[in-house]
Amino acid sequence: MVINSSLLKKLSAEQKFMISVIIVNGGNYLYNLLLGRILGPEEFADAALLITFLLVLSFVAMTFQLSTAKFSVIFEKEIFKSFINITYKYSSITGIIFGVLMIVFSKQLQAIFNTQSSTMFILFGIGVPIYFIMSVNRGVFQGSKKFDSLAITYQGEMISRLTITLILIYTITFQSSVLVASGIAISFLFGLIPFRSRDIEVTKKHKLPKAESKYITKFFILTAFYELTQIIINNSDILMVKHYFETYEAGLYASLALIGRVVYFVAWMFVMLLLPKVVQKQKDGESHAPILFKYVLYITLLSAAIVLGCFLFPEFVINIMFGPEYISVAPLLWKYAIATSLFAISNIFAYYFLSLDQYIPVILSALLGISQVVLIIFFHNTLSEVVIMQIIAMAILLTFQLFFFISYQKLSKKELN
């Protein structure tokens, strides 16, 4: 215990956060794997849809988190306090709107995605406003580089979701999708801990200077636009497979997507660290490209290792993680890993440019995100076709991101000279 304690003291806040994110991602994976094994392919298809909705929600709410993180670095004192209060206000309103829409259209969602119940959408919708408030809270911790507190919010959400969902499944005889939705919604409350409340002034009317307000609006729209493309790229395949294929095949694909996306979830950890660092470097007039190079190298090495493992031992990976019921999807595992690896690397570039208020990479991501949907609409005879369409779209996306980065670097050097 003494060795462990001394080791922890030597670690920086960032290193501790990275370890925490690995633990949280591991817990989230365990959550998905257990659901896959306990429920079986058909029931897991509905549970996987809820998990996909959770990912969609996280991308939408990420607009508020990243905006809060960026301006927590830039703004100080009264301007910062006004900004935080206004952000909490609009995030709450946005969360309520999304939650109400999900509740009102629960029957339609059930019909579109062929689920056993509409109640699961109602329960999920109830929790949506809490998630938006939670994201602003996380943005404050991220921007102020309080990674210990940021880590606790993610750990609380993950541990509570895993524990509560399993308790509900094993103690209550009811539709599994409803129990999973309940566990997800309740976990949002635990994700609020710790909650930074000292800057909140509900009774006071807050207003920002015109220049700052314009800057925030511009960045917020840009970020929202990019997060929309993230939703399209990262989730459209699962939603479309759920629509086009039978429930059993959709459940198989959900397991494939879960394993293949391990690269993306690790890349997300580096995004959390990348944004405040790049913004601070830009604010101080220092070079920020080396930060990008470091994180791209990490993700590339990790991606190569995962793709190789999936190529050499696909049946072993599927069997260990989900069981023999899912083994028929094993040949597609390495291909899906390639698609998510390409996406994860290009995503690091995209968030780098987002930190620098660059518009072109965001527009490119939007167009290529839509192209992925179009390709799947026309080519979805088999699950293999769906995966290949994603590889094509993501390869083109990464190529464009690399070309833009090279052009941006050349332009920056010319301006300095």
Side-chain angles (χ1 to χ4, degrees), residues 78 104 127 207 222 257 268 304 390 398:
E78 290 304 312
V104 170
K207 193 174 180 181
L222 178 65
W268 167 86
Q390 290 176 79
L398 180 56

Side-chain angles (χ1 to χ4, degrees), residues 171-339:
T171 58
I172 300 174
T173 305
F174 204 70
Q175 284 182 333
S176 59
S177 59
V178 173
L179 300 178
V180 171
S182 301
I184 291 172
I186 295 168
S187 71
F188 297 159
L189 290 169
F190 289 89
L192 280 172
I193 303 168
F195 184 73
R196 178 167 169 153
S197 58
R198 70 183 188 192
D199 296 311
I200 300 176
E201 297 173 341
V202 180
T203 56
K204 186 178 176 182
K205 190 175 181 180
H206 294 274
K207 193 174 180 181
L208 287 166
K210 191 174 181 180
E212 280 77 3
S213 182
K214 189 177 179 181
Y215 183 24
I216 293 166
T217 303
K218 180 181 173 183
F219 180 81
F220 189 86
I221 292 171
L222 178 65
T223 307
F225 187 62
Y226 183 67
E227 292 303 325
L228 176 62
T229 69
Q230 293 281 285
I231 292 170
I232 294 169
I233 295 171
N234 209 38
N235 300 284
S236 61
D237 61 322
I238 290 182
L239 298 178
M240 292 173 79
V241 166
K242 189 76 169 70
H243 177 73
Y244 286 123
F245 291 82
E246 295 297 323
T247 303
Y248 179 76
E249 287 181 295
L252 291 176
Y253 187 84
S255 68
L256 175 75
L258 179 63
I259 298 169
R261 285 178 178 174
V262 66
V263 181
Y264 176 79
F265 289 124
V266 176
W268 167 86
M269 168 182 71
F270 293 113
V271 168
M272 293 291 102
L273 299 171
L274 177 78
L275 187 134
K277 279 188 174 183
V278 172
V279 173
Q280 189 66 54
K281 290 282 185 184
Q282 187 185 35
K283 184 180 179 181
D284 298 338
E286 298 175 5
S287 175
H288 35 65
I291 299 170
L292 174 68
F293 295 148
K294 182 173 72 172
Y295 291 156
V296 167
L297 177 62
Y298 290 160
I299 295 301
T300 303
L301 292 173
L302 176 71
S303 300
I306 290 173
V307 170
L308 183 62
C310 291
F311 178 75
L312 294 175
F313 314 106
E315 293 187 2
F316 174 76
V317 173
I318 292 285
N319 195 42
I320 287 293
M321 297 184 80
F322 280 95
E325 289 180 283
Y326 297 82
I327 208 73
S328 61
V329 84
L332 296 178
L333 187 58
W334 70 274
K335 294 178 182 177
Y336 196 93
I338 287 176

Side-chain angles (χ1 to χ4, degrees), residues 11-24:
L11 295 174
S12 66
E14 290 180 11
Q15 289 170 328
K16 289 178 184 177
F17 177 69
M18 290 174 73
I19 292 170
S20 173
V21 168
I22 291 169
I23 294 169
V24 169

Side-chain angles (χ1 to χ4, degrees), residues 19-81:
I19 292 170
S20 173
V21 168
I22 291 169
I23 294 169
V24 169
N25 283 333
N28 286 331
Y29 254 76
L30 178 62
Y31 169 80
N32 287 281
L33 295 177
L34 288 173
L35 287 181
R37 281 183 171 273
I38 294 166
L39 302 179
E42 291 191 11
E43 285 190 53
F44 181 61
D46 280 3
L49 180 66
L50 282 170
I51 295 162
T52 302
F53 267 74
L54 178 59
L55 285 172
V56 171
L57 178 64
S58 70
F59 282 124
V60 177
M62 187 62 75
T63 303
F64 286 96
Q65 182 171 336
L66 292 178
S67 298
T68 304
K70 180 181 174 80
F71 295 108
S72 293
V73 177
I74 296 171
F75 296 153
E76 297 174 357
K77 298 177 182 178
E78 290 304 312
I79 293 180
F80 170 76
K81 191 173 285 188

